[in-house]
Amino acid sequence: MTESPKQGPLAGLVVADLSRILAGPYATMLLGDLGAEVIKVEGPQGDDTRTWQPPVRDGVSTYFLGVNRNKRSIALDFKDADDLEVAKRLVARADIVLENFRPGGLARFGLDYETVSATNPAVVYASISGFGSGEQGAKLPGYDLIVQAISGLMSLTGDPEGEPFRAGISVFDVMAGLHATIGVLSALNDRHRTGRGQHVEVNLMSSALSGLVNQSSAYVAGGTVPFRMGNSHPSLFPYEPLPCSDRDLIITAGNNGQFRKLVEVLGVPELADDPRFARNEDRTANRDELRPLLVERLATRTAMEWFDDIIGAGVPCGPINTVDGGVAFAESIGLDPVVTVGSGDAALPGVRHPIRFSDAEARYDLPPPELDEHGDEIRAWLQEDA
C-alpha cells in the first residue's frame, strides 16, 4: 500500500476504521491528519453520511466530506465469507481498530476485541457507543440528539421561558470522538511500556456528563439542578450578548479587573466601585440592575466600534457571526482556517486540523474517498503476508 508522502507524528501507525456517521470517523480523521494510515471499512452501501444531504459539493455530501479526509476506502460485506476474511486480515495487522457498532455487535463476525486481541495482542481497540457496554446501556441506541436530551444538555439550552433546544451541532458525537482519540493515544503510550494494547471504551453519555463540566458539577457537588438561562451564565456577569446601536455584542468580563477595564471604556468607571457590582458574586446577584446601565452606554455606538475599543482594553468580546463570518474572522487574524485537501482535479477545500506542532505538521494529501476507491490496493497489501 502506497504510504503518504507526508510524515506526521503518527506516521507508521495503521488504523482499521470500522466506524461510521460522526464520532468514529471524526476521531479517525484526526488520527489520519496526524500521519496515521487510516483504512475506512464501509458496508456495500457506504457510510450513511454519504447520503446525508443537502448541502453537497459536486454531488457529494459535505457532511461526509467534513470527517473523512486522509482515509482509504474498502467496501466489505461481513456476511460474505471472503470479505470477512479480508476484514480479519486487516484488524490483525492494525495498530488501532476503532468501531462504533452496538456493543457486542461485532462478536458474531469474530471482529470483537477479545477475538482480535487474541491474535493481535498489541492492538489498541477503541469502541464508541451511546450508553456503554453494560447490560442496560448496551441495549440503547445512541444518537447524539437522544444523548443531548437524556443528559440534560437540552434543559440548559434555550430561553428560560421557552422550550429546550438542541445544540447547533452533534456536540456529544464530536466530544466522544475527541475522548476516543485521547484514549487511543493514551493506550498507545502505555503500549510502549507493556508491549500490549488494550480495549478503550467511550460512550456518548459519559462524554456528555463530563462535558457538562460546571453544570453537572453544580448538581453532583452542589446539589443544585441548573436550568437554562438563555445566553446568560449562571456564575458570571457580564458574560452574554448585550445590544449596541445596531446589533448584539458578546461581552465577557471574567474577573474584577476586566470589569473595571470594561466600565472605564464605556465611560462609567464609577460602576467598578459601586458595592452592588464590585465583586463577581455581587454582579451576578445584581445583574438585573447592572445590565441596563451597561446597555445604556452600549446603545450609543455600533457593535464593531465598541469591539475595537473593548478588545483594545483587554476585555474579551466579539460579534455574533454566521459560519461564513467565523471563517472570515479566522482568516483575518492569520489562522488560515481553510486548506486544500488533495491535489489536481480531486482537490477540495477543507477545515484546517486544529493542532499545530513546532516540529511536525498535519497532512492533507488524501481527499475523502469514493466508496471502495482503494479496495484493490488494500486487498493486495493484505495479501502480501497472507
Side-chain angles (χ1 to χ4, degrees):
M1 188 169 62
T2 305
E3 293 187 356
S4 167
K6 294 283 188 178
Q7 294 294 306
L10 300 183
L13 294 173
V14 174
V15 180
D17 180 6
L18 309 186
S19 69
R20 65 267 198 222
I21 312 293
L22 179 52
Y26 182 60
T28 55
M29 182 185 73
L30 295 178
L31 297 173
D33 286 354
L34 298 179
E37 294 296 339
V38 180
I39 298 175
K40 182 176 180 66
V41 178
E42 303 185 67
Q45 304 304 314
D47 190 309
D48 292 4
T49 59
R50 289 183 181 274
T51 66
W52 286 13
Q53 48 186 267
V56 299
R57 180 185 176 89
D58 297 330
V60 181
S61 162
T62 58
Y63 198 121
F64 177 82
L65 295 178
V67 291
N68 283 291
R69 69 179 175 223
N70 289 323
K71 303 178 185 182
R72 292 176 168 87
S73 171
I74 182 171
L76 297 175
D77 181 354
F78 294 164
K79 296 178 181 179
D80 178 271
D82 292 338
D83 280 5
L84 181 57
E85 182 58 31
V86 172
K88 289 181 176 179
R89 289 205 301 270
L90 173 60
V91 298
R93 293 187 64 170
D95 296 283
I96 300 160
V97 175
L98 193 147
E99 58 90 12
N100 61 354
F101 282 72
R102 186 173 293 193
L106 287 174
R108 63 191 177 114
F109 301 114
L111 296 173
D112 56 304
Y113 171 68
E114 287 73 15
T115 305
V116 172
S117 62
T119 56
N120 182 3
V123 71
V124 172
Y125 188 110
S127 299
I128 302 175
S129 64
F131 298 94
S133 59
E135 182 177 355
Q136 298 301 315
K139 300 175 182 177
L140 304 175
Y143 278 100
D144 176 273
L145 178 57
I146 303 302
V147 178
Q148 288 196 36
I150 293 177
S151 68
L153 175 65
M154 289 181 63
S155 76
L156 302 173
T157 309
D159 188 85
E161 306 303 322
E163 297 297 316
F165 278 91
R166 67 179 288 269
I169 63 165
S170 296
V171 61
F172 294 140
D173 268 331
V174 172
M175 198 173 291
L178 291 171
H179 289 163
T181 305
I182 293 168
V184 163
L185 297 178
S186 299
L188 285 171
N189 186 64
D190 196 54
R191 189 173 76 175
H192 293 315
R193 179 178 62 85
T194 67
R196 294 186 61 84
Q198 57 186 293
H199 193 190
V200 176
E201 294 191 71
V202 173
N203 68 81
L204 271 66
M205 187 67 186
S206 294
S207 288
L209 294 178
S210 174
L212 287 175
V213 287
N214 59 302
Q215 302 286 32
S216 52
S217 180
Y219 172 68
V220 173
T224 298
V225 178
F227 197 69
R228 56 187 172 277
M229 299 176 62
N231 287 316
S232 297
H233 193 290
S235 308
L236 291 171
F237 186 84
Y239 198 95
E240 62 185 53
L242 294 170
C244 302
S245 65
D246 59 342
R247 57 174 171 151
D248 286 357
L249 185 69
I250 299 284
I251 298 177
T252 60
N255 56 54
N256 296 335
Q258 289 179 347
F259 180 69
R260 181 174 293 276
K261 292 176 182 178
L262 172 65
V263 294
E264 288 175 353
V265 170
L266 295 182
V268 282
E270 65 276 8
L271 294 181
D273 297 312
D274 188 314
R276 297 173 297 171
F277 315 131
R279 301 176 305 162
N280 175 68
E281 52 265 50
D282 302 321
R283 295 190 291 276
T284 56
N286 298 299
R287 67 177 72 211
D288 290 340
E289 296 175 59
L290 178 55
R291 184 184 288 106
L293 300 177
L294 300 179
V295 169
E296 181 180 9
R297 294 298 305 149
L298 290 166
T300 62
R301 301 174 69 195
T302 68
M304 292 312 295
E305 288 172 338
W306 282 121
F307 171 77
D308 290 337
D309 288 351
I310 294 172
I311 285 289
V315 179
C317 70
I320 301 174
N321 290 328
T322 52
V323 173
D324 58 326
V327 172
F329 180 79
E331 290 175 341
S332 74
I333 61 173
L335 293 180
D336 300 325
V338 180
V339 295
T340 299
V341 182
S343 60
D345 293 339
L348 76 159
V351 176
R352 179 179 293 278
H353 186 89
I355 303 171
R356 299 198 189 206
F357 299 86
S358 63
D359 197 30
E361 61 181 54
R363 53 182 274 234
Y364 307 102
D365 53 302
L366 293 177
E370 296 180 7
L371 178 61
D372 202 41
E373 179 179 344
H374 308 93
D376 290 343
E377 176 187 359
I378 294 167
R379 286 179 171 86
W381 172 68
L382 292 171
Q383 195 64 34
E384 291 175 4
D385 297 329

